[in-house]
Amino acid sequence: MDANAKYYEGCGQEGPIRCIFLCEFHHTAGPKITCQVPENYISKDIFDTVSHYIIPKVQLQRCTLTVTLLGSKILGFPVRIDNKKYARNAFYFNLCFVCDAWARTVHLEPLVKKLTEYLLSMELETEWLSKQSMSGDAKDLGCLMKQVMQDINCRRMCTLTVGTTTTHLTVVRVNSDPAPVKDHQVPVFLYSRQSFVADQWDLTTNQILPYIDGFNHVSKIAALTDVEVSLVRACVQNLVYYGVITLVPIFQYCAVYSVTPKLRQLTRCAGLQRQCIEFCARSPRQLPKVNDLFVMYAGMSHGSTVRDLCRRLRPQDHAINERKLVLFGVLEGLIRRVYKYPITLNNVDTASVRSDHNQNLVRTYNGLVCLDELCCHGGLSVSQLEEQLERDSNVVFIVK
Amino acid sequence: MEVNPLNIFFVKSDSKGDRLLFRYPYKLDNKDENTQKKCGRHNPYAINCTEDLLQNPQTQTSNVYKGQLSGFTDEMLSTLFAVKAELCNRKFELKVNDVRFVGHPTLLPYRTNKDDTAAMILINIVFALQASASHSIVKCYYDLSKRLGKALRHEEKRCSYLTEEMKIMLATHDEVSALESEVNRENDEEEENLRHSVSSATYSHENCGDGTPKSAFHLILQRSSLARSMKAVFEGLSSTGIVQVRINNWVLLSFCLPHKAHQIHNRGLIIEPECIDKCLQKLRPYHGILLMVDPNELLASIPLDGSPALLRLIKLYSPLKSLQTLAIEADLSFTQVSQLTGHLVYWAKATVIYPLCEGNVYVVAPCGNVNIHSPLLDEFAKEFPGLCLVQMLSEFSLPAPLWFKARGVGGAGGGCGGGARLARVVAWLLRRKLLLQLHTYVHFNSPNWNDDPDGQEYYCEKHDIYNQSCNISFSSLNQMQLNVPEPVEPRESANTFPDSDEDYPTENNLNQTDFSHTKPIVIESEHSKHEKFHTNDSANHSFDDGMDVVDGFVPKPNGLNGFGHNDQKKQLNSVDSGISNNNSDKLHINGSMDVDDHKEDKKVTITTRLSDASLKEKDASNNVDCDENMMDCDVSPRQKNTLTNGTDKKNGVSLNLKLQNEMSFQPPTVCGGVGECEAGAGSGAVRAGCAGDESPLHAFTPAERAALAALPAASNPDDLLLLATLHKKGYFRGETHLEEIMFMENVTRSQLMQLLDKFKGVLITFETEDPAVAMLYPYQ
């Protein structure tokens, strides 16, 4: 029952490959399974009911097909080789992965495609597939499929060598594209730096890696590493895609944070408490108390800046590193940043533009760009910019 | 975007083979566009590598072009959707590249026109969606397909509707293809085109002369009501997400795709049904609803056979009312109301809020996307002339209660017509999810809260330990700790007024006679034995100087050892007995019992105490002579006690609380005597609460008591009792907001605020949103 509760259709989890089979169109018998690992996972009856999705009509050749039927999901990439040497002047085949119906399979699609291409090229070169299917002895193919299934399920990658050709298969998590990285955002590692294999990454990424500490923002990293800021942005975005880092708002003493409902987890979860204590400590020898940490978080509200909070609660007296405290809170979702968006009241009235305003900045007071970003672009400190804006009665702030 | 359907198909499969009878939309884009798309992006500088072409012909990766389905011919689709009989009546899901087809193949008997023997026919109404559509969207579409299938099966059974409609469709197809083959005999160049799609392409035949587009689907749409229904379904889904179609003017099919429906009011807001379910689970009686549409329109849109309960609810609706109020007014149970709420939320007709009131605190929602170009600005200006949305939102930059804003806006905006208008503005903003309400949550800052992962048991254990320590050795405990939980004895104050007991009211006498028959007397006195000594001081203090000098008095009783206590207690009892001259002998017995230290049932003591306190309370408010009351209450409750024992036992604590409330509302202009009486009553309540196993004060750990003791506010027994009770009920774990506490415990906001202020040393407050309400907001 537990498993059922966990794995329902649409749970969005990945599941193992249950079966791999190769099926082809036999010139007399029609669609048939040439080889299957493990044997008889897909029975003849089931195969017959779904066969026209596996060996489809011409227009669906070379399309990734996924059909969810009878509790399993079958992924395939049907192909056809036109050649006079084959019985019907064409050789149709499809290598299919079978997963459970609840499993997410988008990440396997490129894999199926690549493996099919590999088989296709071998068939074109040495008739590797058709020979095996004609002889009825598909031992080589079976070994290959078994290896793929085992390796992909265990290690999520696989290296296949048949004769002189080699191919590599890796499962790549399919994520939606991360939002464009802004200059004022701060990248921070989600895992410990030690677990990060640096030589997997490109040179620029390696160059900026040491400066990703959770406090340097993108343009500062660019300045420190002497790398073009757009390159840094691209690298950071790439790292975000792979879930190595995430982006947090820049730490400032004038920043305002607000508590989220998740904060109450800190009162309950001992694991979270321990983590928080260790993370936010000024020194590992003197650990802060969890009450003090909680009081600090609880004090964060729309009205008070980090500076106010520090003045009031004196985190240094309680062995709390307030920067780390904020970082931890943001990473765990205990708090969220409250941004200030300047917005002009009447956008048509250009007369309101004062001479002391930076013309470029005025144009961006549209309610979409927050103060941090403006400061980062304009090279101003928040207080300077705020001072400018306060003087303009046409600009109001939306705080959210 | 991905919520919208790409296409709807209607496929049949019977003994004569499968056929795509209808699809909507049926206009296909030009063929050359298709081919361009298939080749992918063209780079004019790229070298076409021939080897590459040999090995890897370009594969088609997308079947969506300009938001429309492309690359499938009708024949292909009909073979795909005409599933084998084994797969009927279950979910059909097929994904091709980036298009997902979902349907529910329905097998149904139908009458062929020649003979009346029923044959089976398979119909499949399939929706084409973007493959990126989430699972819950797919599930909704599947449901819709299933319902359409069922409706058709019903209509076929009832009046052979399907047979008739299919006949029309097939006839039209044949007609058009006959016409086309005729034309094509003349125009050979169009033959290729025809082979790809016989019926879907729209041809304009110049040869024919009339120039009107002749597509089989176009004609079907004119001739067949089923085709029109399907078109309505598709259009409903892509415009509002709400489908209300009568199949064959008979079966009403109402369907809502919540992912889409909520976008009518808030663009980009995708609410999944699962999310609504979760929200409903968290729905409490203090929540309210806010209709997204005009109630009159909503009433008009409800079909005639709509639930009368729903109609009542909408008629009585107000954003100021809580669900409980609505339930009472509409004469429904809370379950019903919450189900109706869920219904309204699902159909995007309402959202869940905390009822609008002046004390509510709102801030701009983090997701509230307002910029100078957003259409909301104009909408707002139209709705509220003279007000600017941006300015309004900037007013909500700092969290403050609404009444404060009302004042502020009245000053700044000038034309804002007071609270009523502000309420309308807030409702408008809440509908657009531009505002988010903040609630204050309280967490009790116990010094060692990371030590006890699970609260309940820990407290219980502590409580036991504390009891023992209380009984065994007072002197061993440090006085600060003792000071906090020490209950206050009203009798003590009676003790200080030995002269006041001249005459009892007759009823009291009656009571006493009653009381003399009942057992609890003994219990009472036994109980008092435990408490007398420590209550002693606080009562004294409250009477004597009325200042927070508790600490000065505390050491005295603490310093007394067991023997001393006994002495004092004896003395007290004797005083008691002396006072009650009417039945002095009984009370004397009590006293002696005390000394003998009988073990009694504690539960009973609680209840007696409770009623004690409650009656005392009433007496205090009724009678002027409080001293006498004090004496009364010692005795009088017994009679009622015996009657109301059972009920009191259950909710004794909350009863106390209510009394406390009443007390706080007592007019301040009472004579000093009454004031003192009040204190006595309060302390009585404290004692009552504290007496038994469930006593609220025992919920505190010794360390917590120590922390509490340090606060001057702890000396006020009323406050302490309220705090203890609320703490015991788990309201201070950071999980319940003030409004919930107010609702559950029937306390006022000012009371709570005062309490928070007084005990701010041990209570941590934080402001955040109610997760139940925030669930319907787009962020996170």
Side-chain angles (χ1 to χ4, degrees), chain B residues 30 50 125 128 159 215 218 252 300 361 436 463 467 504 538 569 571 601 643 645 710 725 762 776:
Chain B
N30 289 335
T50 41
I125 292 159
C159 57
S215 151
H218 185 75
L252 176 65
V361 179
L436 186 63
H463 160 94
N467 259 355
Y504 282 86
S538 54
K569 176 190 53 194
Q571 181 214 350
D601 179 16
L643 300 172
N645 233 351
T725 322
V762 287
L776 300 176

Side-chain angles (χ1 to χ4, degrees), chain B residues 443-459:
Chain B
H443 188 268
F444 189 82
N445 185 15
S446 58
N448 51 352
W449 57 308
N450 44 346
D451 294 344
D452 45 349
D454 91 70
Q456 287 294 16
E457 282 184 18
Y458 186 75
Y459 287 139

Side-chain angles (χ1 to χ4, degrees), chain B residues 387-402:
Chain B
L387 287 182
C388 172
L389 177 62
V390 173
Q391 211 154 23
M392 201 67 215
L393 286 179
S394 75
E395 297 276 339
F396 285 101
S397 290
L398 283 179
L402 221 49

Side-chain angles (χ1 to χ4, degrees), chain B residues 401-451:
Chain B
L402 221 49
W403 55 263
F404 185 80
K405 302 271 186 224
R407 226 180 272 163
V409 171
C416 189
R421 187 166 187 198
L422 185 69
R424 280 207 301 132
V425 170
V426 169
W428 191 92
L429 294 172
L430 282 174
R431 267 183 214 122
R432 266 68 181 183
K433 313 261 182 221
L434 292 176
L435 288 188
L436 186 63
Q437 187 176 357
L438 291 186
H439 294 273
T440 304
Y441 291 79
V442 191
H443 188 268
F444 189 82
N445 185 15
S446 58
N448 51 352
W449 57 308
N450 44 346
D451 294 344

Side-chain angles (χ1 to χ4, degrees), chain B residues 75-231:
Chain B
E75 292 76 30
M76 197 172 99
L77 291 174
S78 85
T79 42
L80 284 180
F81 300 154
V83 297
K84 296 255 165 65
E86 291 91 330
L87 301 176
C88 277
N89 298 328
R90 61 177 78 210
K91 190 172 174 181
F92 166 79
E93 196 182 332
L94 173 69
K95 178 172 165 273
V96 179
N97 291 329
D98 58 348
V99 179
R100 192 185 299 274
F101 298 100
V102 61
H104 180 84
T106 312
L107 203 59
L108 52 98
Y110 90 122
R111 252 171 280 140
T112 48
N113 37 6
K114 281 166 194 162
D115 50 305
D116 255 7
T117 54
M120 293 303 269
I121 185 173
L122 178 131
I123 56 160
N124 197 359
I125 292 159
V126 180
F127 292 96
L129 310 170
Q130 306 253 16
S132 53
S134 75
H135 184 84
S136 83
I137 297 177
V138 175
K139 210 162 127 191
C140 286
Y141 275 101
Y142 165 69
D143 187 45
L144 178 58
S145 168
K146 194 170 167 181
R147 289 211 231 164
L148 279 169
K150 279 190 175 158
L152 285 179
R153 182 157 64 190
H154 179 267
E155 283 305 286
E156 172 65 20
K157 202 175 170 190
R158 191 175 69 90
C159 57
S160 311
Y161 175 64
L162 189 64
T163 317
E164 296 303 316
E165 290 298 310
M166 284 202 324
K167 222 186 279 169
I168 298 172
M169 290 178 182
L170 282 170
T172 316
H173 276 296
D174 291 346
E175 188 184 312
V176 169
S177 61
L179 199 72
E180 271 163 5
S181 59
E182 215 171 273
V183 172
N184 284 327
R185 237 168 277 145
E186 295 156 27
N187 307 2
D188 282 342
E189 66 267 24
E190 278 194 355
E191 204 162 311
E192 194 201 29
N193 209 350
L194 179 72
R195 202 179 60 218
H196 275 274
S197 56
V198 179
S199 39
S200 57
T202 313
Y203 302 113
S204 57
H205 300 274
E206 281 93 81
N207 300 358
C208 299
D210 53 354
T212 52
K214 280 199 176 163
S215 151
F217 294 131
H218 185 75
L219 289 173
I220 289 171
L221 198 59
Q222 289 171 351
R223 293 175 191 172
S224 155
S225 68
L226 179 59
R228 281 195 296 278
S229 303
M230 281 184 196
K231 184 187 171 202

